[in-house]
Amino acid sequence: MRKGAFIVFEGIDGSGKSSCMDEVASALLRERIKVIKTSEPTKGEIGAILRTSGNRTPEAEALLFTADRAVHTCEIVKWVESGKTVLCDRYYASTIAYQSASLNGRSADADWLTAINDEVIIEPDMTLLFDIDPELSMGRVESRGRRSRFERPEYLREVRNNYLRIAKLRNFKVIDASRPKEEVLEDVLRRVREITG
Ligand code: TYD
């Protein structure tokens, strides 16, 4: 059986990656491509811990996100090997970008984050980075009426810069997410089809 593909959607909160991923999934399903939508933090047991607000350091948080990913990666490998196209909302770049940004005045080391993640990941066939100015994305998040502890503009500026640095190193496709949503979708679909055919 032909192997599937693994495509990751990354970006700061409010960048539009999740709704774009839903639209891409629908478009591929219409073309009879077998799609699995998944996300991190996962709905599994470690993902559930991550959704609670505990007294954690950035390092502890990084280890939890990475542990969640280690389990998730096993599932992703199985899906891809059974011919599915896996669309994943966030993967290892989220940990490197977010946990190495200073949260509450502390940050985890980017080299360490990269090293622990490299042990548990598979390199996606494509990672799309939805790049947007946090001022703009924050407006979107606020209009949805929710704001997590990760959603402070000065923090997100650092996260954005980290993302752009990783994107260069790992060859991500940087998508200008400040454009109208239809334009972004068209751009993303064109790139996804380079892989799904
Ligand atoms: P998010 O994708 O916003 O999930 P939901 O839409 O269900 O709230 O992820 C939740 C937050 O977790 C988001 O602000 C980014 C953060 N996060 C990290 O800090 N590191 C990680 O490795 C991951 C996967 C997410």
Side-chain angles (χ1 to χ4, degrees):
M1 184 189 295
R2 189 170 167 262
K3 267 179 67 176
F6 177 32
I7 302 171
V8 172
F9 291 65
E10 287 280 4
I12 58 172
D13 314 80
S15 61
K17 64 176 168 43
S18 310
S19 54
C20 185
M21 192 178 103
D22 286 343
E23 305 236 22
V24 169
S26 307
L28 295 181
L29 282 168
R30 280 195 296 273
E31 293 163 25
R32 305 204 182 286
I33 292 173
K34 294 191 192 89
V35 177
I36 291 204
K37 280 196 294 180
T38 188
S39 60
E40 294 186 2
T42 67
K43 295 188 175 67
E45 55 183 338
I46 307 172
I49 298 172
L50 281 159
R51 282 200 196 79
T52 63
S53 54
N55 177 21
R56 297 189 284 259
T57 67
E59 290 82 4
E61 197 123 68
L63 290 165
L64 284 171
F65 277 119
T66 306
D68 187 36
R69 182 162 306 120
V71 177
H72 195 203
T73 298
C74 296
E75 292 184 290
I76 293 169
V77 167
K78 277 191 221 142
W79 292 326
V80 172
E81 281 177 354
S82 70
K84 308 280 193 320
T85 292
V86 178
L87 305 181
C88 185
D89 190 343
R90 299 192 182 282
Y91 198 49
Y92 69 87
S94 281
T95 298
I96 301 170
Y98 279 82
Q99 273 63 58
S100 73
S102 48
L103 182 61
N104 302 326
R106 293 211 35 224
S107 60
D109 180 74
D111 289 341
W112 175 69
L113 294 169
T114 306
I116 56 171
N117 273 277
D118 279 346
E119 292 296 320
V120 303
I121 60 158
I122 53 167
E123 199 54 58
D125 294 296
M126 181 181 280
T127 298
L128 298 150
L129 172 59
F130 285 60
D131 180 53
I132 190 166
D133 185 326
E135 297 296 334
L136 210 63
S137 66
M138 288 313 299
R140 295 182 183 173
V141 171
E142 264 153 25
S143 69
R144 291 200 302 244
R146 51 184 275 265
R147 198 181 227 215
S148 84
R149 66 209 158 101
F150 290 119
E151 293 169 346
R152 282 183 293 124
E154 62 282 14
Y155 176 63
L156 288 179
R157 262 193 292 281
E158 210 173 322
V159 175
R160 181 195 192 189
N161 290 336
N162 292 338
Y163 262 137
L164 289 170
R165 215 171 19 247
I166 307 159
K168 263 209 184 115
L169 289 172
R170 303 249 169 154
N171 240 336
F172 294 175
K173 309 284 181 203
V174 181
I175 305 292
D176 173 3
S178 66
R179 292 173 298 169
K181 141 172 173 246
E182 299 70 29
E183 237 175 86
V184 174
L185 176 62
E186 200 180 312
D187 190 3
V188 168
L189 272 174
R190 190 173 48 77
R191 289 166 190 272
V192 166
R193 288 200 177 103
E194 287 168 17
I195 290 195
T196 59

